[in-house]
Amino acid sequence: MEHIIKLEKVAQYNKLKGVENQHPLISVFDNSNAKALPNNTRMHFGFYAVYLKAGNCGELKYGRNNYDYEEGTMVFVAPGQVLEINNSEDYQPTGLVLLFHSDLIKGTSLAKNMSHYSFFSYDSHEALHLSLKEQQIIKDLFSKLEYELSQSIDKHSKSIISNNIELLLNYCVRFYDRQFITRENINTDILSKFENLLNDYFVSENPQDSGLPSVGYFADHLHLSPNYFGDLIKKETGKSAQEHIQLKLINLAKERIFDTEKSISQIAFELGFKYPQHFNRMFKKNTGYTPIEYRSLN
């Protein structure tokens, strides 16, 4: 029967895996030497987790497409997220695991920069796939963390550990950028679908019924997490997904403002604005004119 295990401390996870507690706030270990987690279990995390899977990752899907990398996979979990374990009975864990609590990095540059690592909010099917060379870089950084944990704790330990975690995550940012580039065909397909969804949204009754569309709305329809979708759009086009939505709104507004049989308030409502003054502010911010001024000029 499925049940939820609430993991607030790193030590609780270590106990499930049969791993020694070297530090109360961080753990680094080889998964192949640890026990498999209970099957049909959901785990609620109270700390960060980084997994590097070894060997064949099995079948993973990107939207409706299979991933084309099999050398290795990295998955990232943030505090508050839930992982579901559904492995086969003969499953043997492999790879490397890094767990660290937010208390470990308080007061460090890493703590200030954690919000930049948006991949901690990606879905598991948006994992990072590494080449063999990239895997070796990550493994070396895991080894440095393992070495540091094996030494006596001193005044330098916190900064060295946090700096190595930050370096590892920065490499992951680089590797994700590479992954976005090497998946150009898939990304182009997603961009095309995004444009179609944008067009379909504004020719339907959705704006009047549901208001302005969110980035999450399009990400959901493309079977992607909002953060992954937003990062993909930004890296492919140089504009954020929100900027694309706003640009679409402005272009539609410019067209519809020419219809003098409709009031500005009616046009605003048809585009999904609850209050006309919000529409007026957005339009002037982007064009330099109020809707009425724009109508008069043209």
Side-chain angles (χ1 to χ4, degrees):
M1 182 177 178
E2 184 186 88
H3 61 288
I4 295 179
I5 299 175
K6 198 163 186 178
L7 301 170
E8 295 297 336
K9 298 179 180 179
V10 169
Q12 292 173 286
Y13 191 99
N14 288 344
K15 185 177 179 180
L16 282 175
K17 299 289 292 182
V19 173
E20 177 188 356
N21 287 312
Q22 293 181 288
H23 191 289
L25 298 177
I26 181 173
S27 182
V28 181
F29 58 89
D30 187 334
N31 214 4
S32 58
N33 297 325
K35 295 190 296 187
L37 291 166
N39 210 4
N40 298 320
T41 299
R42 299 181 73 205
M43 297 186 300
H44 181 278
F45 282 68
F47 44 82
Y48 293 96
V50 178
Y51 296 92
L52 171 62
K53 294 183 180 181
N56 194 310
C57 307
E59 184 181 272
L60 293 172
K61 288 187 178 292
Y62 178 98
R64 295 181 179 178
N65 299 306
N66 290 332
Y67 276 123
D68 52 8
Y69 281 66
E70 292 184 346
E71 296 97 323
T73 305
M74 291 192 76
V75 176
F76 307 84
V77 182
Q81 293 182 339
V82 175
L83 273 189
E84 190 168 333
I85 308 300
N86 287 305
N87 296 317
S88 59
E89 291 185 6
D90 59 348
Y91 170 75
Q92 294 296 321
T94 59
L96 303 174
V97 180
L98 164 64
L99 313 171
F100 64 97
H101 199 280
S102 57
D103 288 348
L104 175 78
I105 60 174
K106 280 183 177 176
T108 68
S109 64
L110 176 57
K112 297 176 184 176
N113 294 327
M114 279 307 296
S115 61
H116 299 161
Y117 304 116
S118 53
F119 44 77
F120 274 101
S121 296
Y122 290 176
D123 287 342
S124 59
H125 67 271
E126 297 155 351
L128 175 59
H129 293 260
L130 304 178
S131 68
L132 292 175
K133 288 184 178 179
E134 290 168 348
Q135 281 186 68
Q136 191 56 54
I137 291 171
I138 298 300
K139 287 177 181 177
D140 289 345
L141 288 166
F142 267 86
S143 294
K144 288 180 180 179
L145 287 168
E146 281 186 297
Y147 171 79
E148 190 59 34
L149 287 175
S150 70
Q151 305 303 301
S152 299
I153 301 296
D154 58 30
K155 64 180 182 180
H156 304 289
S157 299
K158 182 175 180 177
S159 62
I160 291 174
I161 289 171
S162 64
N163 287 343
N164 275 288
I165 295 174
E166 188 167 15
L167 180 59
L168 186 151
L169 297 179
N170 285 338
Y171 267 111
C172 292
V173 171
R174 170 185 278 182
F175 297 155
Y176 256 119
D177 283 350
R178 184 271 307 152
Q179 183 162 295
F180 283 123
I181 293 169
T182 57
R183 293 170 186 277
E184 185 177 356
N185 290 338
I186 295 173
N187 297 347
T188 301
D189 184 48
I190 289 172
L191 281 171
S192 177
K193 288 178 179 177
F194 176 38
E195 288 296 329
N196 290 335
L197 283 169
L198 258 177
N199 292 331
D200 292 345
Y201 190 91
F202 287 107
V203 297
S204 69
E205 299 297 319
N206 281 332
Q208 296 94 307
D209 296 337
S210 304
L212 296 173
S214 65
V215 172
Y217 169 87
F218 296 107
D220 185 58
H221 279 69
L222 292 167
H223 310 291
L224 300 172
S225 65
N227 274 1
Y228 189 91
F229 171 66
D231 289 346
L232 185 154
I233 297 298
K234 181 76 173 179
K235 286 178 171 63
E236 284 292 313
T237 68
K239 292 187 177 68
S240 69
Q242 188 60 51
E243 287 175 317
H244 278 274
I245 295 170
Q246 194 166 83
L247 185 62
K248 182 69 175 179
L249 275 168
I250 292 299
N251 288 335
L252 286 172
K254 286 178 178 178
E255 293 174 10
R256 298 185 186 185
I257 281 171
F258 293 146
D259 186 353
T260 54
E261 293 184 3
K262 292 182 179 179
S263 67
I264 300 300
S265 294
Q266 188 176 356
I267 292 169
F269 174 72
E270 288 178 353
L271 289 172
F273 288 88
K274 190 174 181 180
Y275 303 105
Q277 57 266 36
H278 292 171
F279 169 63
N280 293 342
R281 279 200 297 270
M282 187 203 74
F283 192 88
K284 184 167 185 178
K285 181 181 177 181
N286 284 272
T287 67
Y289 301 100
T290 67
I292 291 176
E293 287 171 344
Y294 190 84
R295 177 179 276 177
S296 300
L297 285 169
N298 288 276

